[in-house]
């Protein structure tokens, strides 16, 4: 895997590779994405193969502007309001495909909707602008595993190149909202808190239930380290690694990492995946994660921890 710098030179090389149908890992403010030309069937199919991703789990199209998104999906007034408020940023909107939508049907796995997002990371936007067309990009990890939040955590087998854009500021994935029949459905909690969304669109309908998946990717088990993970742990065994939060430590663990000493949930989110990777070491019998407050981005942290703990 070639390592590219986030300079005009590195970005030009990334665009050349993408035009040739190759996969390139790019930084976003949430997690690193495994990007491909959204209109190229072969490149899109290659994403599923590289990640070992189930063929029924659709991809998000990333755009450089609202206008670019409007060629792909139909924006209702509510959808437009949300895009204007939160783009560029960690909000993905699931909307009906337009009749002339250029995104490969493989990316949407036969659905008549498409997920779109305009990332805020300067390098992601620079790549999108230079490429001049939408890029599909799932998180740049083998399916089911932890998402990468820095270039070093991108699996070298996945992509032809990675553009190094440093550490992801948010550290967990975008919030996914589907607009359907003028209601907003939360499909995945993420970088934008539900409170901020609800301030604009009123109460969100719950689209996250694993029993009735509106989002094909809502697997109960996901983001999983290799070691077993216990959540809401209030005690710890001497053989376990502890993932702690706030000023009170879990004493007695073999090792411990604190997501945020000061109890800052944004800091905790940014550290979550990297710390799980560090603790995921066969020297220890398992990982014990302390309870995390379920407010703001804490909801997304708890969603990831629950899925990581599911066996
Ligand atoms: O922050 C993010 O969203 C990152 C960065 C790279 O942009 N991307 C990301 O992609 O998390 P991925 O593929 O790991 O997760 C996309 C999720 C999946 O759960 C998928 O099922 C859902 O979005 N999704 C995509 N298209 C959909 C659609 N048309 N309807 C419902 N859910 C959809
Ligand atoms: Mg993912």
């Amino acid at each position: 895997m070639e390592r590219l710098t986030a300079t005009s030179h590195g970005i030009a090389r990334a665009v050349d590779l993408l035009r040739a149908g190759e996969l390139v890992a790019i930084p976003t403010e949430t997690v690193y994405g495994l990007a491909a030309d959204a209109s190229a069937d072969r490149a899109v199919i290659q994403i599923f193969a590289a990640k070992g991703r189930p063929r029924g789990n659709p991809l998000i199209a990333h755009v450089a502007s609202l206008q670019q998104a409007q060629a792909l999906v139909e924006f209702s007034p509510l959808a437009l309001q949300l895009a204007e408020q939160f783009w560029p940023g960690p909000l993905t909107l699931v909307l009906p495909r337009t009749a002339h939508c250029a995104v490969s049907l493989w990316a949407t796995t036969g659905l008549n909707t498409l997920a779109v997002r305009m990332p805020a990371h300067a390098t992601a936007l620079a790549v999108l602008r230079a490429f001049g067309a939408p890029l599909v990009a799932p998180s740049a990890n083998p399916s089911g595993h932890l998402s990468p939040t820095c270039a070093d955590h991108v699996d070298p087998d996945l992509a032809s190149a990675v553009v190094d854009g440093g550490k992801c500021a948010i550290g967990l994935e975008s919030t996914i909202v589907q607009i359907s029949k003028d209601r907003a459905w939360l499909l995945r909690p993420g970088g934008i808190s539900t409170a901020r969304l609800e301030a604009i669109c009123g109460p969100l309908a719950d689209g996250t239930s694993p029993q009735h998946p509106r989002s094909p990717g809502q697997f109960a088990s996901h983001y999983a380290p290799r070691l077993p993970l216990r959540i809401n742990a209030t005690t710890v065994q001497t053989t376990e690694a502890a993932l702690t939060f706030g000023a009170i430590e879990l004493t007695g663990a073999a090792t411990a990492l604190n997501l945020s000493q000061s109890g800052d949930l944004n800091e905790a989110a940014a550290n979550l995946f990297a710390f799980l990777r560090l603790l995921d070491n066969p020297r220890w019998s398992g990982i014990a994660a302390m309870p995390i407050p379920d407010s703001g981005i804490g909801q997304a942290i708890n969603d990831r921890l629950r899925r990581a703990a599911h066996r």
Side-chain angles (χ1 to χ4, degrees):
M1 184 172 68
E2 257 180 76
R3 202 170 170 115
L4 305 172
T5 53
T7 56
S8 53
H9 185 75
I11 287 164
R13 173 70 182 148
V15 167
D16 283 347
L17 290 167
L18 289 164
R19 292 216 170 105
E22 307 271 324
L23 309 188
V24 177
I26 59 166
T28 83
E29 73 279 20
T30 58
V31 298
Y32 275 68
L34 184 62
D37 179 348
S39 67
D41 289 341
R42 286 182 62 154
V44 172
I45 291 168
Q46 179 57 27
I47 286 187
F48 287 87
K51 281 183 58 100
R53 183 176 177 104
R55 288 296 169 98
N57 190 7
L59 305 175
I60 299 173
H62 294 65
V63 294
S65 67
L66 178 59
Q67 289 91 302
Q68 208 174 41
Q70 282 171 319
L72 306 179
V73 287
E74 310 279 1
F75 278 80
S76 67
L78 177 57
L80 201 56
Q81 216 184 340
L82 290 174
E84 279 168 353
Q85 181 73 29
F86 294 111
W87 283 5
L91 175 69
T92 295
L93 294 170
V94 174
L95 299 169
R97 280 178 75 114
T98 56
H100 53 278
C101 177
V103 173
S104 165
L105 291 170
W106 291 94
T108 42
T109 67
L111 297 171
N112 53 17
T113 56
L114 170 68
V116 285
R117 133 168 153 84
M118 179 179 173
H121 196 293
T123 306
L125 283 174
V127 171
L128 281 163
R129 286 198 194 104
F131 186 70
L135 293 169
V136 282
S139 52
N141 51 273
S143 186
H145 290 265
L146 293 164
S147 306
T149 52
C150 63
D152 283 342
H153 292 173
V154 174
D155 186 328
D157 294 338
L158 290 179
S160 298
V162 59
V163 184
D164 187 350
K167 192 178 158 184
C168 300
I170 292 177
L172 45 74
E173 295 81 353
S174 60
T175 304
I176 305 182
V177 168
Q178 178 160 15
I179 310 292
S180 155
K181 301 189 183 76
D182 262 347
R183 283 209 74 183
W185 298 76
L186 178 69
L187 302 191
R188 178 176 73 183
I192 305 273
S193 71
T194 49
R196 287 184 64 199
L197 285 162
E198 288 182 335
I200 290 183
C201 59
L204 291 167
D206 183 11
T208 61
S209 155
Q211 281 76 40
H212 305 283
R214 296 178 64 89
S215 193
Q218 287 166 0
F219 307 118
S221 169
H222 212 88
Y223 315 106
R226 279 174 287 264
L227 286 185
L229 172 73
R230 287 196 301 124
I231 53 177
N232 297 320
T234 49
T235 59
V236 70
Q237 290 158 25
T238 53
T239 55
E240 280 181 317
L243 186 66
T244 63
F245 175 81
I248 304 164
E249 298 285 347
L250 274 181
T251 48
T255 186
L257 285 174
N258 196 320
L259 287 169
S260 170
Q261 205 96 41
S262 64
D264 177 343
L265 287 167
N266 292 317
E267 184 187 5
N271 286 329
L272 179 69
F273 287 138
F275 282 11
L276 281 171
R277 267 172 206 270
L278 286 168
L279 296 180
D280 192 15
N281 186 312
R283 291 214 302 254
W284 302 306
S285 64
I287 303 170
M290 271 177 78
I292 308 288
D294 208 42
S295 57
I297 202 169
Q299 287 179 356
I301 298 175
N302 284 321
D303 170 78
R304 305 304 187 270
L305 283 172
R306 266 195 304 278
R307 289 176 207 275
H310 190 94
R311 293 286 139 147

